[in-house]
């Protein structure tokens, strides 16, 4: 009960509890046009397309890339799903339009620099800085394909469905018997048999089976070599030319692999991320705006604690800050010094509840007590939660 209230009323908390670490993993998400370019490098079939950030670039792309096309697909580039059903704050309906070639410049001008709101952006929406111009494909079949990491098998898992074009959740509910799952032995890698199981589960109607098997293997190679955490293609489509094409894709990459995927990580678009998460990352912190937590776990410095408080207090929705320290690596005296210094630097306007337990806990409590500042101390997490809720509503 108390923790439920805490989640609602204390919208942001400072925490290093190990149980929350899984929620706070940051993963690089790249734009559709970037993913298509990367897949093309691996020999994966993708629609012909080009990104543009201005009307002049759109005009040039039409002349250079689509000189003979009658219709072109114009896709707003934001890091969120549901673009097709989204609405711009300007009033324009839809973030994806199929238009006559002579209308492309006009529709692109109405998208660029505007805010698109979708189910996944939240009401604040995201700015469209680029549009992706793609050839209009003649599709005869749409399927779903994804590779993700599976805890149960401790390795990559390929998921496919012979129906596509909508979310996997909807597909699993409507067509559970059409879902195929093929775990891949991470040490052995994908085999022809594995890829064949996937293709047979997808049951392509016109694409050559052997070609489809090779496409699946190339997708798996991309997934592994680039440290993907998710590679989702929806739809994986068949064209009237009997070709299997990744018509739309979403790729996420493991942030822990940034040191060996330098080229890919230059693709990060901070304008599409929560500015608080960007600021936290610069201080080597993890911040998850949705769950309202900052993680300063491990051997954090006093300076990191100060930065964490700056980020938390910059959010007007914050009603209270709960600091929960429990563990052996993070030193309680370091956290306590950081809290005291942060409270002095950021002019705290919200109550701060502190629960310390672990290495150097006595020194930490003494630092808090001798600071002369109005900090609420707690003995355990339940006590801290009760005090935080009370302080937030008072």
């Amino acid at each position: 009960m108390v923790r439920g209230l805490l989640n609602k009323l204390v919208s942001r908390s400072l925490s290093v509890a190990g149980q929350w670490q899984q929620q706070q993993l940051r993963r690089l998400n790249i734009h559709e046009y970037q993913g298509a370019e990367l897949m093309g490098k691996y020999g994966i079939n993708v629609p012909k397309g080009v990104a543009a950030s201005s009307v002049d670039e759109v005009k040039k792309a039409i002349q250079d890339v689509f000189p003979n096309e009658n219709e072109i697909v114009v896709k707003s580039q934001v890091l969120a799903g549901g673009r097709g059903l989204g609405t711009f704050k300007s009033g324009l309906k839809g973030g994806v339009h199929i238009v006559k070639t002579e209308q492309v410049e006009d529709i692109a001008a109405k998208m660029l620099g505007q805010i698109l709101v979708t189910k996944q952006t939240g009401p604040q929406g995201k700015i469209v800085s680029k549009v992706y111009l793609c050839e209009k494909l003649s599709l005869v079949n749409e399927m779903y394909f994804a590779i993700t990491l599976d805890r149960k098998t401790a390795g990559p898992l390929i998921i496919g469905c012979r129906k596509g074009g909508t979310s996997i959740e909807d597909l699993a509910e409507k067509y559970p018997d059409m879902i195929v799952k093929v775990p891949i032995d991470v040490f052995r890698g994908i085999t022809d048999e594995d890829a064949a199981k996937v293709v047979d589960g997808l049951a392509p109607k016109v694409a050559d089976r052997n070609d489809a098997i090779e496409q699946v293997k190339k997708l798996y190679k991309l997934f592994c070599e680039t440290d993907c955490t998710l590679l989702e293609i929806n739809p994986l489509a068949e064209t009237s030319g009997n070709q299997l094409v990744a018509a739309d894709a979403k790729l996420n990459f493991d942030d822990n692999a940034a040191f060996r995927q330098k080229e890919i990580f230059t693709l990060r678009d901070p304008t599409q991320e929560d500015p608080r998460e960007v600021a936290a990352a610069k201080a080597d912190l993890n911040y998850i705006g949705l769950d309202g937590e900052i993680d300063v776990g491990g051997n954090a410095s006093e300076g990191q604690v100060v930065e964490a408080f700056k980020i938390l207090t910059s959010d007007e929705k914050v009603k209270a800050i709960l600091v929960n320290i429990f563990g052996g690596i993070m030193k309680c005296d370091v956290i306590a010094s950081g809290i005291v210094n942060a409270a002095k630097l950021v002019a705290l306007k919200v109550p701060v509840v502190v629960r310390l337990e672990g290495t150097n806990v006595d020194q930490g409590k003494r630092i808090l007590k001798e600071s002369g500042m109005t900090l609420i101390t707690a003995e355990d997490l339940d006590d801290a939660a009760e005090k935080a809720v009370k302080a937030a509503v008072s």
Side-chain angles (χ1 to χ4, degrees):
M1 177 67 178
V2 169
R3 295 187 189 184
L5 286 171
L6 183 65
N7 286 334
K8 294 178 181 178
L9 298 175
V10 187
S11 64
R12 302 293 182 265
S13 66
L14 184 63
S15 168
V16 293
Q19 65 192 32
W20 291 321
Q21 286 278 42
Q22 290 293 339
Q23 299 176 13
Q24 298 185 350
L25 294 174
R26 288 171 53 83
R27 295 186 174 93
L28 172 67
N29 188 7
I30 63 175
H31 287 289
E32 177 189 4
Y33 76 92
Q34 296 168 326
E37 183 178 347
L38 183 60
M39 288 190 292
K41 291 179 180 178
Y42 275 79
I44 298 158
N45 300 327
V46 295
K48 180 172 63 176
V50 61
S53 57
S54 69
V55 175
D56 286 341
E57 289 183 6
V58 169
K59 185 176 182 179
K60 188 175 187 302
I62 295 172
Q63 295 172 344
D64 296 347
V65 184
F66 305 104
N68 302 314
E69 299 289 339
N70 294 319
E71 290 184 303
I72 296 175
V73 185
V74 185
K75 299 183 175 184
S76 54
Q77 295 297 282
V78 294
L79 295 180
R83 291 172 299 166
L85 298 176
T87 301
F88 285 89
K89 288 191 174 182
S90 63
L92 177 66
K93 302 290 186 181
V96 178
H97 289 260
I98 302 174
V99 297
K100 298 292 184 181
T101 303
E102 58 268 23
Q103 298 174 312
V104 171
E105 290 180 45
D106 180 61
I107 195 70
K110 292 178 180 178
M111 291 180 173
L112 288 167
Q114 299 299 314
I115 304 296
L116 178 64
V117 180
T118 77
K119 286 184 177 180
Q120 293 187 12
T121 64
Q124 74 279 5
K126 290 183 181 292
I127 190 167
V128 176
S129 299
K130 286 182 181 289
V131 291
Y132 189 37
L133 310 182
C134 295
E135 63 176 319
K136 180 188 175 185
L137 298 174
S138 176
L139 305 182
V140 298
N141 186 31
E142 295 185 2
M143 300 161 286
Y144 175 91
F145 177 93
I147 309 177
T148 187
L149 295 173
D150 181 44
R151 289 186 183 180
K152 185 176 181 180
T153 60
L157 177 70
I158 300 180
I159 303 171
C161 181
R162 63 185 65 180
K163 296 280 188 179
T166 186
S167 72
I168 186 60
E169 292 83 6
D170 290 341
L171 293 171
E173 183 178 347
K174 295 178 181 178
Y175 313 106
D177 295 337
M178 293 187 183
I179 303 292
V180 59
K181 297 180 180 180
V182 180
I184 307 299
D185 186 320
V186 69
F187 298 106
R188 184 178 59 181
I190 191 168
T191 64
D192 289 340
E193 183 182 1
D194 293 330
K197 285 181 182 178
V198 175
V199 171
D200 291 342
L202 293 171
K205 296 178 180 179
V206 297
D208 180 81
R209 183 173 181 270
N210 290 331
D211 288 346
I213 288 173
E214 289 305 309
Q215 285 289 296
V216 169
K217 290 164 68 176
K218 288 176 180 178
L219 286 163
Y220 181 79
K221 182 180 181 182
L222 165 63
F223 181 87
C224 292
E225 290 188 358
T226 61
D227 289 292
C228 277
T229 55
L230 173 69
L231 190 164
E232 182 181 48
I233 300 175
N234 191 18
L236 178 64
E238 291 180 276
T239 70
S240 55
N242 299 343
Q243 189 179 46
L244 196 65
V245 177
D248 195 356
K250 176 180 180 180
L251 287 85
N252 291 168
F253 305 87
D254 188 348
D255 270 5
N256 293 313
F259 71 97
R260 65 169 169 250
Q261 301 292 349
K262 291 182 173 60
E263 184 177 350
I264 288 176
F265 275 77
T266 62
L267 302 178
R268 173 165 260 149
D269 184 356
T271 67
Q272 294 287 306
E273 299 180 10
D274 187 326
R276 299 162 300 182
E277 293 186 15
V278 175
K282 290 179 179 178
D284 199 22
L285 301 168
N286 289 321
Y287 182 91
I288 306 299
L290 180 64
D291 295 324
E293 299 169 1
I294 282 187
D295 176 18
V296 294
N299 193 22
S301 67
E302 184 178 313
Q304 285 178 295
V305 179
V306 173
E307 287 301 314
F309 266 68
K310 287 181 180 179
I311 296 167
L312 288 171
T313 54
S314 69
D315 190 337
E316 295 181 354
K317 295 180 181 178
V318 171
K319 304 302 179 186
I321 297 175
L322 190 158
V323 183
N324 177 53
I325 303 300
F326 182 77
I329 299 176
M330 189 63 254
K331 295 181 175 62
C332 293
D333 56 329
V334 172
I335 289 290
S337 295
I339 292 169
V340 172
N341 288 334
K344 293 176 181 177
L345 288 172
V346 301
L348 283 173
K349 297 180 181 179
V350 296
V352 177
V353 180
V354 184
R355 179 265 180 129
L356 299 178
E357 190 62 52
T359 305
N360 297 345
V361 63
D362 291 335
Q363 295 97 308
K365 289 181 177 179
R366 185 174 66 251
I367 290 171
L368 294 178
K369 184 177 181 181
E370 294 176 355
S371 70
M373 307 196 73
T374 306
L375 300 170
I376 305 170
T377 57
E379 293 303 315
D380 54 40
L381 185 56
D382 286 333
D383 183 35
E386 290 180 6
K387 290 179 176 177
V389 171
K390 183 177 180 181
V393 298
S394 62

